[in-house]
Amino acid sequence: MKLPVMKSNEFDAGLFQKRIRKVQKRLKKGEILILFAATHKIRNRDVEYKFRQNSDFYYLTGIKEEDSIFVLTSDAVGMFCLPKDKEREIWTGIRLGKDKIKSMLDLDFTYDLNDWDKQKSAILIGNHTLYYFFGENPDRDRELLQECKNLSERAREGKFGPHRIEHPYFLHEERLIKSKEEIQILKNAAEITKFGHMRIMRESKPGLYEYELEALLEQEYLKYGSIGGGYGHIVASGKNACILHYVNNDDRLLDGDLVLVDSGAEWNYYTADVTRVFPVGKKFSDAQKTIYEVVLYAQKNAIRQSVTGIPFNEVHEKTVLFLADCLREMGFLKGNLDEILEKETYKKFYMHRTGHYLGMDVHDVGRYFIDGKSRPLKDGQVVTVEPGLYFDPSDDSIPKEFRGIGIRIEDDILINGKEPINLTESIPKEVSEIEALKS
């Protein structure tokens, strides 16, 4: 399947204008939202990391240029952006410029970025509340705090600035529930991810290195218009699978070991997040298959439970209950189930959560608890379901055949009433499917 590639000149102005106006309606008189675009980050000396726009900034504006500043009040919307500069554009690419951006987004005002310092007081004056993602950029934090302080000292002039800074929770509430367009983008990301995972399942063999599988993933992702992985690839063979965020990816694949691959393609600013486990060779060992089947059953059950109205944390709690009971029955945990749960001894084998929100960010935005209670799932949310079991390779109390086994199985689930939709179910995960690919 050849997926459509989102080209740089395909800009859905109506989509972003609609989002801006929707968020604008949440603001009252005297409230202002300021968003800063991402900036280029230095990798070493004058070499920069590959640029990726801030998710919140892109969600509202669709603008991919660095260092821009978006300003929104109840009655005005504008942006400070990179100025047109022929010499700089020769080196780093064509800039949109303030006039084009104003037209694209139907803004009330635009300024060149170098006008920010002399305009920010006027932008903030008369607003009592500043909505801003405090803590993401210390330099910007200090700048805005200082400006608010400066304005507070002008009270005798009858002028004032923000005396309250709040997290723009309402923007993340908008991002939490995915539109039809967003769901389609996530489906595309999932489809690209499938090509990568299936290729490395087929091509893994003893003697290869983990980074060779990582390279195959990136090749498949890039081939279909993805920018690559939406997060660092985890390609963990053998005992490395017991390191949850293993990213070295530099060990040799050994016959008899498993490979845990946690990787998802990012397409048009939305990422998949998938984990699969498969043998380096052709077959699971009996011990590997035993643990794999337990985790797979837990995962399928958790997916079935991911329905509208269920508190998100309840899915995790039920998964813990099942896995703890299995570990007890297999002799890995001692005592009765209540004691195991109370003392959390299961965390020796299962130490992470069963899922998280997914979207533009792999750990996507949105509150998990409201008024101290786990938030019920809603239609249009996308979550991961990813139970696992990990057996410490250095723990002599574990039977030798199980030591170093790490299993996690993860899919991306669209909440849809009582019928959750698995966006990544076409990526093989049954033992028979995986071994058939390897034969």
Side-chain angles (χ1 to χ4, degrees), residues 6 16 19 38 51-59 62-65 175 182 185-186 189 225-227 230 265-272 359-362 364:
M6 181 64 70
F16 296 107
R19 287 178 178 173
F51 181 76
R52 198 264 192 193
Q53 185 59 281
N54 173 277
S55 294
D56 290 309
F57 194 93
Y58 182 81
Y59 177 82
I63 301 300
K64 299 178 182 179
E65 292 183 352
R175 285 179 52 188
E182 290 175 292
I185 293 171
L186 281 164
S226 165
I227 68 165
E266 180 177 314
W267 194 80
N268 197 22
Y269 277 82
Y270 289 77
T271 186
M360 298 186 78
D361 301 312
V362 65
D364 209 36

Side-chain angles (χ1 to χ4, degrees), residues 126-300:
N127 293 294
H128 54 73
T129 300
L130 167 62
Y131 285 103
Y132 164 69
F133 288 107
F134 193 84
E136 291 186 353
N137 186 323
D139 291 334
R140 291 298 192 187
D141 294 348
R142 286 190 290 270
E143 175 188 7
L144 288 177
L145 287 173
Q146 184 62 50
E147 195 61 38
C148 290
K149 180 178 182 295
N150 293 343
L151 290 173
S152 72
E153 295 171 352
R154 299 176 63 181
R156 284 177 294 180
E157 303 174 30
K159 297 177 180 178
F160 66 91
H163 54 264
R164 182 171 63 194
I165 298 177
E166 292 197 19
H167 185 280
Y169 64 92
F170 47 81
L171 178 53
H172 286 177
E173 287 298 296
E174 292 294 334
R175 285 179 52 188
L176 183 66
I177 306 300
K178 274 51 179 183
S179 66
K180 290 181 180 179
E181 294 85 357
E182 290 175 292
I183 291 167
Q184 184 56 56
I185 293 171
L186 281 164
K187 287 180 177 179
N188 285 351
E191 189 71 6
I192 296 170
T193 302
K194 178 182 78 172
F195 298 147
H197 276 265
M198 290 186 68
R199 183 174 179 187
I200 62 175
M201 284 182 191
R202 287 192 298 264
E203 297 190 20
S204 72
K205 60 183 179 181
L208 293 181
Y209 282 88
E210 293 163 343
Y211 55 72
E212 293 182 85
L213 299 188
E214 181 180 15
L216 294 177
L217 285 170
E218 278 288 304
Q219 183 182 21
E220 289 298 306
Y221 294 173
L222 294 172
K223 183 166 69 175
Y224 292 101
S226 165
I227 68 165
Y231 55 98
H233 307 286
I234 296 172
V235 182
S237 63
K239 64 183 180 181
N240 296 329
C242 295
I243 302 171
L244 299 183
H245 288 171
Y246 174 81
V247 293
N248 288 348
N249 299 348
D250 58 2
D251 262 4
R252 188 187 289 270
L253 275 60
L254 302 177
D255 198 15
D257 279 348
L258 298 176
V259 187
L260 182 154
V261 177
D262 187 338
S263 175
E266 180 177 314
W267 194 80
N268 197 22
Y269 277 82
Y270 289 77
T271 186
D273 184 6
V274 174
T275 306
R276 292 292 186 265
V277 179
F278 52 89
V280 171
K282 295 184 181 300
K283 298 284 185 180
F284 289 85
S285 71
D286 290 342
Q288 291 166 351
K289 184 176 179 180
T290 295
I291 302 304
Y292 188 93
E293 293 286 10
V294 168
V295 175
L296 182 60
Y297 186 93
Q299 199 236 8
K300 290 178 178 178

Side-chain angles (χ1 to χ4, degrees), residues 419-439:
E419 299 292 334
I421 298 172
N422 187 343
L423 302 179
T424 50
E425 69 175 343
S426 62
I427 304 174
K429 63 181 179 181
E430 299 290 340
V431 169
S432 58
E433 293 175 323
I434 293 169
E435 291 184 344
L437 273 176
K438 303 290 294 178
S439 60

Side-chain angles (χ1 to χ4, degrees), residues 66-85:
E66 69 273 17
D67 297 326
S68 301
I69 304 170
F70 179 75
V71 178
L72 184 65
T73 66
S74 62
D75 53 12
V77 54
M79 191 180 297
F80 293 77
C81 46
L82 294 174
K84 295 292 290 181
D85 184 328

